[in-house]
């Protein structure tokens, strides 16, 4: 991030602008939204700017800018649409301690003005570091239609009521109060009975919330999918939206954690395959402890929580502590991975069953029914199969599997750095080791990518 977004206190401060044409007017229309004192310095004021000055919206200084003009300015805009003049006036402003922006000159500006969606006091600022103004405008247009005009009114009146809500303890109760105001009773009261109905609505809601008994803790055991936030279920999103505490796996991506409620406590209970880890019993205890404190806990697990997720141990701990819970399924790595290679997990005439197997378990490399898997047409999705690749390869070949059986390794499924490596059972190692995988990977035994070109390319690259 080259520009850090902040909201500057400008009420009562001076903002100076040099320029009098179209660029100046466009900036002034934005600046009128503020409570700052506006001073325009130009010899070439447009009739509109002269009219604004007559209306008292700004102070017009009818001459070229000179030293001393920006001594008390918080912000300065150079909007002469003339590179030489803009450089001259910006140098004065910078020298005198004002933050300077030169219109349409990102490199020499100390700040940039974002695209703004105005629902005062709610303000959305959209910036693209100057890279894609078209994108900023599209996002703005989208938000303009999505955020009701009433939002500003609700927020303004809600703000005046904040002190009354201090009677509610910080945390869930207060959050619930505001959530039901902004997303439930507030908009309804405004629509049905106008602004006058808002304060009485707030009062009723506060009484109800004061009387409400403490909510019991609850745990959602949520599948986060393979990494792409768009592969989350709506239920998972809603659970993240309400969470007080999110306890997540190592494999859950930051894009998904971003979706958690802003106030939520985020705890990384990451566990490395063979490396150091938080013991499962510690994780169980952590989940129980937070739920007992009355929190809405989301236990966020990569993929689907019921697939190699040690879910049952967590459920046992919750049941022993008499805590309510719910399982929210997710898209397991195998489902997302098979979609990216354009194949089916089952296919009429090829395989009528699919095995999901793990490369290793708590005791080391995991044993499976290798003889059955070695038969032609079998398909298996191998989880945690990086280090165990040679073991699996050896076992299958020993049981008579065809070395030419297709094998596909998919790393970082659904993420920007996803890689597909097509190989065969005979070449699984050293292909796996040579590929230098750093992310999670799933291995399909018995499936090749539908796209044959990708297959021959990766074979050459890694074999
Ligand atoms: N519950 C998870 C699996 C947890 S076990 C699920 O349903 O997907 C961890 C293993 O899952 C990893 O070793 C890897 O084999 C697989 N995995 C999880 N996320 C993955 C991803 N984004 N890309 C590839 N493999 C993934």
């Amino acid at each position: 991030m080259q520009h850090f977004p902040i909201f500057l206190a400008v009420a009562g401060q001076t903002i100076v602008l040099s320029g009098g044409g179209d660029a100046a007017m466009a900036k002034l229309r934005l600046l009128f939204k503020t409570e700052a004192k506006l001073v325009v310095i130009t010899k070439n004021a447009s009739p509109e700017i002269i009219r604004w000055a007559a209306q008292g919206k700004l102070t017009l200084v009818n001459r070229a800018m000179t030293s001393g003009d920006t001594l008390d300015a918080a912000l300065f805009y150079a909007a002469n649409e003339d590179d030489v003049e803009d450089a001259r006036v910006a140098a004065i402003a910078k020298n005198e301690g004002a933050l300077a922006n030169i219109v349409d000159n990102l490199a020499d500006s100390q700040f940039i003005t974002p695209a703004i969606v105005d629902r005062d006091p709610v303000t959305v600022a959209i910036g693209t570091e100057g890279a894609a103004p078209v994108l900023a405008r599209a996002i703005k247009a989208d938000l303009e239609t999505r955020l009701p005009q009433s939002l500003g009114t609700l927020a303004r009146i809600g703000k005046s009521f904040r002190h009354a809500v201090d009677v509610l303890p910080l945390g869930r109760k207060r959050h619930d109060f505001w959530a039901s105001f902004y997303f439930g009773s507030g908009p309804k009261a405004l629509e049905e009975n106008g602004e006058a109905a808002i304060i009485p609505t707030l009062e009723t809601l506060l009484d109800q919330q004061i009387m409400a008994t403490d909510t019991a803790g609850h745990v959602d055991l949520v599948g986060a999918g393979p990494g792409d936030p768009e592969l989350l279920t709506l239920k998972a999103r809603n659970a993240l939206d309400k969470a007080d505490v999110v306890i997540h796996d190592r494999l859950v991506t930051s894009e998904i954690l971003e979706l958690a409620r802003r106030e939520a406590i985020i705890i990384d209970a990451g566990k490395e395959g063979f490396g150091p880890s938080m013991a499962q019993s510690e994780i169980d205890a952590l989940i129980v402890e937070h739920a007992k404190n009355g929190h809405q806990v989301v236990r966020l697990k990569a993929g689907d929580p019921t697939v190699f997720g040690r879910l049952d141990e967590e459920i046992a701990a919750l049941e022993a502590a008499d805590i309510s819970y719910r399982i929210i399924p997710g898209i397991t790595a195998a489902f997302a991975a098979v979609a990216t290679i354009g194949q089916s997990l089952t296919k009429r005439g090829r395989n009528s069953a699919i095995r999901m197997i793990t490369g290793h378990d708590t005791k080391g490399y995991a044993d499976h029914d290798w003889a059955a898997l070695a038969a032609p047409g079998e398909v298996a999705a191998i989880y945690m199969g990086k280090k165990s690749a040679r073991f699996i390869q050896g076992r299958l070949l020993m049981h008579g599997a065809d070395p030419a059986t297709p094998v596909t390794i998919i790393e970082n499924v659904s993420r920007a750095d996803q890689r597909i490596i097509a190989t065969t059972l005979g070449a699984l190692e050293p292909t796996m080791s040579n590929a230098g995988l750093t992310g999670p990977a799933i291995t399909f035994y018995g499936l090749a990518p539908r796209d044959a070109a990708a297959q021959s390319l990766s074979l050459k690259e890694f074999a």
Side-chain angles (χ1 to χ4, degrees), residues 226 251 302-304 307-308 332-333 382-384 410-413 415 440-442:
L251 290 179
D304 180 86
V307 178
F308 303 127
T332 188
I382 307 168
Y383 289 71
M384 293 171 277
I410 304 132
E411 183 193 22
N412 293 319
V413 172
R415 306 179 190 174
I442 189 127

Side-chain angles (χ1 to χ4, degrees), residues 172-319:
R172 172 136 296 273
K173 268 203 152 185
R174 218 181 270 190
H175 170 265
D176 286 352
F177 170 83
W178 288 115
S180 57
F181 171 63
Y182 283 117
F183 304 111
S185 51
K188 190 161 172 281
L190 189 63
E191 197 180 310
E192 288 172 3
N193 300 308
E195 256 192 75
I198 295 180
I199 290 284
T201 301
L202 280 163
E203 283 163 349
T204 312
L205 202 59
L206 185 57
D207 285 344
Q208 285 167 357
Q209 200 57 250
I210 290 169
M211 302 307 288
T213 46
D214 280 343
T215 46
H218 171 86
V219 178
D220 283 329
L221 301 151
V222 180
D228 178 353
E230 289 194 46
L231 290 179
L232 276 174
T233 64
L234 218 49
K235 268 208 167 112
R237 278 215 63 161
N238 290 338
L240 281 169
D241 234 20
K242 285 193 305 191
D244 299 310
V245 181
V246 177
I247 302 173
H248 68 92
D249 272 357
R250 181 178 56 95
L251 290 179
V252 173
T253 55
S254 55
E255 289 93 328
I256 287 173
L257 293 173
E258 286 276 334
L259 298 173
R261 193 160 70 84
R262 202 164 72 104
E263 298 83 0
I265 301 168
I266 312 269
I267 300 169
D268 181 356
K271 297 198 297 179
E272 297 281 337
F274 282 107
S277 60
M278 186 184 276
Q280 183 61 46
S281 57
E282 286 178 68
I283 300 175
D284 299 345
L286 201 65
I287 301 171
V288 167
E289 179 197 321
H290 282 286
K292 277 198 164 154
N293 286 341
H295 288 141
Q296 300 294 303
V297 180
V298 164
R299 169 67 175 126
L300 197 57
K301 291 166 168 292
D304 180 86
T306 72
V307 178
F308 303 127
R310 302 189 72 173
L311 180 69
D312 299 270
E313 290 156 74
E314 294 175 10
I315 289 178
L318 291 170
E319 286 184 336

Side-chain angles (χ1 to χ4, degrees), residues 250-251 270-278 310 358-367 382-392 429:
R250 181 178 56 95
L251 290 179
K271 297 198 297 179
E272 297 281 337
F274 282 107
S277 60
M278 186 184 276
R310 302 189 72 173
T358 174
H360 69 81
D361 55 26
T362 45
K363 296 188 209 77
Y365 295 144
D367 247 319
I382 307 168
Y383 289 71
M384 293 171 277
K386 286 198 285 188
K387 295 197 174 105
S388 51
R390 189 169 293 286
F391 171 79
I392 292 169
E429 281 296 7

Side-chain angles (χ1 to χ4, degrees), residues 97-111:
L99 276 179
N101 170 277
I102 303 175
V103 174
D104 289 336
N105 181 347
L106 181 70
D108 296 323
S109 291
Q110 290 169 295
F111 70 94

